[in-house]
Amino acid sequence: MRFSTLKLFNQFKTIRICNNQIVQSSRFTVQNDLTRRQIDKIPIKLSSIVCLYSSDSKKHLLEIEKKAESIKNVFEQKKVQIKDTEQKIRQKGEELVKDFRHQKEVTGQMLKIKKDHLVKDILETKAKVREKIEGVVERENIFTIPNVLCVARIAMSPYLGYVILQDNYNLALGLLVFAGFTDLLDGYIARNWEGQSSKMGSFLDPMADKVLIATLFISLTWQELIPLYLTLLIVARDAALVAAGFVIRYISLPPPKTLSRYFDATHATAQLAPTFISKLNTAVQLLLVGTTLASPVFGYVDHPALQALCGITAASTIVSAISYLVSKDTYKVLKKKL
């Protein structure tokens, strides 16, 4: 009896334990179900959050991509604009260079044309001036026989002085006679032959006489046949007359006064008119040098007559120089006859 009661009690206890376990298991199951349900609910919320986040990110990325694309498009447009600008600048530069070259060529042509016009104007002006000068200044033929004889006398003078310095008085006397003959001959031809007289001869003939006389006086003074004072007086007077001739040439030459025109002997601008005293003085000087040059040949060196002739020559030289200063008709400026 007791055993059966104990057995029942154990069975009851076992049943109770089992019921507890079942209740616990059922609780656990219920709890697990609740937990599972909660867990099942959580992923839904998380997925929605993730989806929401991912959709926002995609929108942001799309906006960024759109902005990047727009920036890229703007950059491409700017790049194209820069290329267009560079091309325009290059074209503009080429056009400027072309215009500059064209302008340079045009300017060069214009300058050349102006230069040609200027040269033409200068030549025309020069021709007009020459025509005017021709209308004022008389041209003449200077290649005449009297002028040739005067030039020959001038060229012979240095050789005559050399012969005197070599004590060859015979040859020197012969050359002096020849020079005197040419002096008489050129005067005769100029006065009597038509077309042989020239204004240039009025300068050339007295110059030839002065060169010859100065050469003779200097060489004879070196040989101690003529006093030094007389030679200095005659050379100074002749040098002053030659210088006056150059001044008269300059004064009588109409503008433009150029060297080429100044030394152009075909332009006769003035004519000399020696005074009577000057002609007499030239004759006295030639007589003195002639007789002095002949004195060693005929043996009358230091003759008193020569000393007296030296004094007469000095006096006539001074008087002739004064006559040139006092007289107003010693030269005449020439103008072309209309």
Side-chain angles (χ1 to χ4, degrees):
M1 183 79 169
R2 186 178 180 184
F3 178 73
S4 62
T5 304
L6 182 62
K7 186 176 179 182
L8 288 173
F9 178 76
N10 288 331
Q11 289 178 355
F12 177 78
K13 188 178 181 180
T14 301
I15 291 168
R16 189 176 180 182
I17 291 170
C18 289
N19 289 329
N20 290 330
Q21 288 179 354
I22 290 168
V23 170
Q24 288 179 0
S25 64
S26 63
R27 288 179 181 177
F28 179 76
T29 302
V30 171
Q31 290 178 357
N32 287 337
D33 291 337
L34 292 173
T35 303
R36 191 178 292 112
R37 287 179 183 178
Q38 291 176 358
I39 289 171
D40 290 338
K41 290 180 181 180
I42 289 171
I44 294 172
K45 293 181 181 179
L46 289 174
S47 61
S48 62
I49 292 170
V50 170
C51 291
L52 181 61
Y53 178 78
S54 62
S55 63
D56 293 337
S57 298
K58 286 181 180 180
K59 289 180 181 179
H60 186 66
L61 288 174
L62 289 174
E63 291 177 357
I64 291 173
E65 287 179 357
K66 288 180 180 180
K67 289 182 179 180
E69 189 69 25
S70 62
I71 292 170
K72 185 178 180 182
N73 293 331
V74 172
F75 178 76
E76 292 293 333
Q77 291 177 359
K78 293 293 183 181
K79 190 175 180 181
V80 172
Q81 290 178 359
I82 289 171
K83 287 182 179 180
D84 293 337
T85 305
E86 289 179 353
Q87 188 175 1
K88 289 180 181 179
I89 291 171
R90 191 180 297 108
Q91 291 177 355
K92 193 68 176 178
E94 292 175 357
E95 290 176 359
L96 288 174
V97 171
K98 189 182 294 184
D99 292 339
F100 176 76
R101 290 178 179 175
H102 179 69
Q103 190 68 27
K104 185 178 179 181
E105 292 176 359
V106 172
T107 305
Q109 292 177 357
M110 292 177 64
L111 289 175
K112 187 177 180 181
I113 293 171
K114 288 183 179 180
K115 180 182 177 182
D116 294 337
H117 284 305
L118 183 61
V119 171
K120 187 177 179 181
D121 291 340
I122 290 172
L123 293 176
E124 290 178 355
T125 305
K126 189 176 180 180
K128 290 179 181 179
V129 171
R130 188 182 293 109
E131 290 178 0
K132 290 182 179 180
I133 291 172
E134 293 295 333
V136 175
V137 181
E138 182 180 1
R139 279 190 177 273
E140 63 176 3
N141 179 26
I142 62 172
F143 299 101
T144 61
I145 295 175
N147 290 345
V148 172
L149 292 175
C150 290
V151 172
R153 193 157 66 249
I154 292 172
M156 187 184 66
S157 297
Y159 179 69
L160 178 59
Y162 173 76
V163 170
I164 294 173
L165 295 178
Q166 297 298 319
D167 296 330
N168 193 351
Y169 296 106
N170 293 322
L171 178 59
L173 187 60
L175 292 174
L176 179 60
V177 172
F178 176 76
F181 175 75
T182 58
D183 190 15
L184 295 175
L185 183 62
D186 65 37
Y188 176 80
I189 294 173
R191 286 189 300 269
N192 296 281
W193 288 17
E194 185 179 356
Q196 295 298 312
S197 178
S198 64
K199 308 300 183 298
M200 183 66 183
S202 66
F203 280 91
L204 201 58
D205 183 63
M207 183 177 291
D209 293 338
K210 288 174 175 51
V211 171
L212 177 63
I213 290 171
T215 302
L216 288 170
F217 268 92
I218 291 172
S219 57
L220 290 173
T221 301
W222 185 269
Q223 296 296 98
E224 297 180 354
L225 296 175
I226 290 180
L228 178 62
Y229 77 90
L230 183 58
T231 299
L232 293 176
L233 178 64
I234 292 173
V235 171
R237 178 251 189 188
D238 290 345
L241 290 178
V242 171
F246 282 105
V247 173
I248 292 170
R249 170 65 172 178
Y250 181 80
I251 294 173
S252 61
L253 185 68
K257 298 178 184 294
T258 60
L259 287 176
S260 60
R261 295 186 61 249
Y262 183 84
F263 290 103
D264 187 0
T266 61
H267 285 290
T269 58
Q271 183 177 9
L272 288 181
T275 61
F276 174 76
I277 297 175
S278 177
K279 293 179 179 179
L280 182 62
N281 176 60
T282 301
V284 172
Q285 289 177 354
L286 287 173
L287 179 62
L288 175 61
V289 294
T291 54
T292 303
L293 186 60
S295 63
V297 178
F298 297 102
Y300 58 89
V301 179
D302 294 331
H303 194 276
L306 292 178
Q307 303 296 329
L309 190 57
C310 287
I312 295 172
T313 303
S316 64
T317 300
I318 294 172
V319 173
S320 66
I322 294 173
S323 69
Y324 274 111
L325 295 175
V326 175
S327 178
K328 297 180 180 180
D329 298 328
T330 55
Y331 72 93
K332 180 176 64 175
V333 177
L334 299 176
K335 291 185 178 180
K336 191 176 180 62
K337 297 179 180 179
L338 301 176

